[in-house]
Amino acid sequence: MKKQYFFAYLFVRAARGLALLVILIGVGFCVLRYYQASIGADAVAYQRSPHLQQALDRLKAAFLATEQIIDSFNAGNQSKTPNVRAPRFPLVIDSDDDFARISAELSRLDHERQQLKESIVSRFETLVKSIEEKLHAYAAVLQSSPSPTPATTQNFISNATPTPSPMSREESLFSSQLASSDANERSANLKERKEFLKVLATRAENADNRVILGEAADQLERLAKLLPEKFEVSTAAQPDTSTASSKDPRAEHHGKVLLSERVARQLEQLRGGVRQMLLTSWTLDDTFEQVANLDSAERDKYRAAILAQKSVWLSAASRIVIGLLATGLVSLLIVVFADLVRTQLDTATSTGTVANAINALRGSVAHLSESEPTITAEEETPVEGGS
């Protein structure tokens, strides 16, 4: 019987060992997949950018240098420098929190950068705006008056134009990318606007207005010193006489627009031009823009790396779960089939035993049935002879 069901008995005896082997194979597969996923996640992980760190260091240095120059200028100009704080960026940038800190710091830095810019032109704009308000108010009076007197709309002169002491600076507010022709043109335009204010001052009838315009012209002279030094005199840097003549307050004042209104608009345009020439192309602006672009690019790279890592781990996790389920299922099937085979073997063994017993019983019964008639004949023979 055992020889007849050799492999079945072998399977039953080795079932537990096979189930354990399958479990070990499944666990090994899962460990291998985890190791491969770890390597894949490390391969696509975000790598810290040295360029971003260097750009942040340059931005910090540019901000401190700009603050120092503006503080020196405002001290000589009797202006107030806003309270600002040096930027503080994380030393290691490799997480969402680090990028969030950089974004918050850049937002604060941008606000303080605008405050520093406003501080150097605040005094000049205050002076010019005061004249604009007076001109607008006077124009309103003239429009409501039946007989305006145009002669009173002539503009103003300063009694004295103090010459500011030149500021000694090793560095400039403006970017090195600012071309010499552009710097010369800005200097020429500022000089032209200063002359325009002086012309207005010469025609001022009110002493207060003459003083205000004189101070405004003096402010332009001080602000012009913030521009880089002229490298050479070029035709682009020469004052435009046609522009100057168009801004000359001696222009005709007939028409619907009063002369005071036109001069007020010219002053408003002058303020805008001064802001454009003095508050653009700074080294701090270029560095800030570079850092903002790098931060945005690195943030996108970080998010892409995080998504790639999640994809790797999700793929590995799905395969590990499938491997564990398959391992458990195969092990369970081995054990179950082993029990079924054992049951069949036990049934076969029991059936064989019962069949042998039945066959033996049948053999003994047949033997008894064959021996009974012979004994009876032998017993009856003497009886007949005796009778």
Side-chain angles (χ1 to χ4, degrees):
M1 183 69 66
K2 291 185 178 180
K3 292 182 179 181
Q4 185 179 0
Y5 301 105
F6 173 77
F7 291 103
Y9 279 105
L10 181 62
F11 173 72
V12 170
R13 292 178 180 178
R16 294 183 180 180
L18 288 176
L20 181 60
L21 179 61
V22 170
I23 292 175
L24 292 177
I25 292 174
V27 172
F29 171 79
C30 295
V31 171
L32 179 62
R33 290 303 306 169
Y34 179 84
Y35 180 72
Q36 291 177 343
S38 178
I39 294 176
D42 291 339
V44 299
Y46 173 75
Q47 302 297 326
R48 294 195 295 267
S49 173
H51 300 291
L52 177 59
Q53 194 66 53
Q54 293 171 3
L56 292 175
D57 294 338
R58 288 195 300 270
L59 176 60
K60 183 177 181 180
F63 182 83
L64 294 176
T66 300
E67 180 189 4
Q68 183 179 2
I69 293 173
I70 292 178
D71 186 63
S72 177
F73 173 81
N74 288 338
N77 196 38
Q78 298 179 354
S79 301
K80 183 180 179 181
T81 303
N83 294 325
V84 295
R85 179 169 57 87
R88 297 179 180 179
F89 299 110
L91 298 178
V92 179
I93 306 170
D94 56 2
S95 67
D96 277 329
D97 293 337
D98 296 331
F99 282 105
R101 288 176 56 190
I102 291 178
S103 296
E105 198 70 9
L106 288 179
S107 178
R108 181 190 65 82
L109 197 62
D110 185 35
H111 178 67
E112 294 185 352
R113 176 180 60 137
Q114 299 302 328
Q115 288 183 334
L116 289 175
K117 287 186 174 184
E118 293 293 336
S119 68
I120 66 174
V121 295
S122 60
R123 186 175 178 184
F124 168 76
E125 291 199 335
T126 300
L127 295 171
V128 177
K129 280 183 178 179
S130 65
I131 298 298
E132 289 181 37
E133 292 173 357
K134 290 181 180 180
L135 290 173
H136 286 305
Y138 185 75
V141 173
L142 289 180
Q143 289 177 353
S144 62
S145 175
S147 59
T149 306
T152 58
T153 63
Q154 302 297 326
N155 301 303
F156 326 93
I157 190 171
S158 62
N159 294 327
T161 304
T163 303
S165 58
M167 297 173 57
S168 59
R169 301 184 307 275
E170 296 180 357
E171 298 181 1
S172 173
L173 290 174
F174 294 87
S175 172
S176 59
Q177 298 180 358
L178 183 66
S180 59
S181 59
D182 193 6
N184 292 338
E185 185 178 358
R186 293 189 184 193
S187 297
N189 288 334
L190 285 178
K191 182 178 179 180
E192 182 183 344
R193 284 161 172 76
K194 183 184 71 174
E195 295 300 327
F196 172 66
L197 291 176
K198 286 185 176 181
V199 171
L200 291 180
T202 59
R203 299 179 177 276
E205 293 184 353
N206 188 294
D208 291 338
N209 293 336
R210 290 198 300 268
V211 172
I212 291 174
L213 286 170
E215 290 183 1
D218 178 51
Q219 283 296 309
L220 276 186
E221 187 174 355
R222 287 176 178 271
L223 291 171
K225 293 182 179 295
L226 292 173
L227 289 169
E229 296 294 335
K230 293 183 180 181
F231 297 96
E232 58 183 8
V233 178
S234 61
T235 56
Q238 298 298 329
D240 189 353
T241 56
S242 62
T243 305
S245 62
S246 65
K247 295 180 180 178
D248 194 338
R250 291 174 295 182
E252 295 181 0
H253 54 271
H254 65 275
K256 295 183 179 180
V257 180
L258 297 176
L259 178 60
S260 56
E261 280 289 345
R262 283 190 291 155
V263 174
R265 293 176 184 177
Q266 289 176 347
L267 290 176
E268 184 178 359
Q269 294 176 358
L270 183 145
R271 286 193 299 106
V274 169
R275 291 180 65 88
Q276 179 66 25
M277 287 181 286
L278 289 174
L279 303 185
T280 57
S281 302
W282 283 23
T283 302
L284 181 59
D285 295 337
D286 293 346
T287 309
F288 183 88
E289 183 178 359
Q290 181 184 8
V291 169
N293 292 335
L294 277 175
D295 176 65
S296 178
E298 292 300 322
R299 183 187 292 271
D300 292 339
K301 290 182 181 178
Y302 176 78
R303 290 174 178 173
I306 292 298
L307 290 177
Q309 282 186 314
K310 289 182 178 180
S311 177
V312 170
W313 283 115
L314 286 175
S315 177
S318 63
R319 295 187 180 184
I320 288 174
V321 170
I322 292 174
L324 290 176
L325 291 177
T327 300
L329 180 61
V330 172
S331 301
L332 179 63
L333 289 176
I334 290 175
V335 174
V336 169
F337 277 116
D339 289 341
L340 291 176
V341 172
R342 183 190 298 272
T343 302
Q344 293 295 328
L345 290 176
D346 292 341
T347 302
T349 303
S350 301
T351 303
T353 303
V354 172
N356 292 334
I358 292 175
N359 291 332
L361 181 60
R362 286 179 178 177
S364 60
V365 171
H367 179 71
L368 290 175
S369 60
E370 291 176 357
S371 60
E372 265 183 10
T374 305
I375 296 173
T376 306
E378 292 178 354
E379 291 177 354
E380 289 178 354
T381 303
V383 174
E384 293 177 356
S387 60

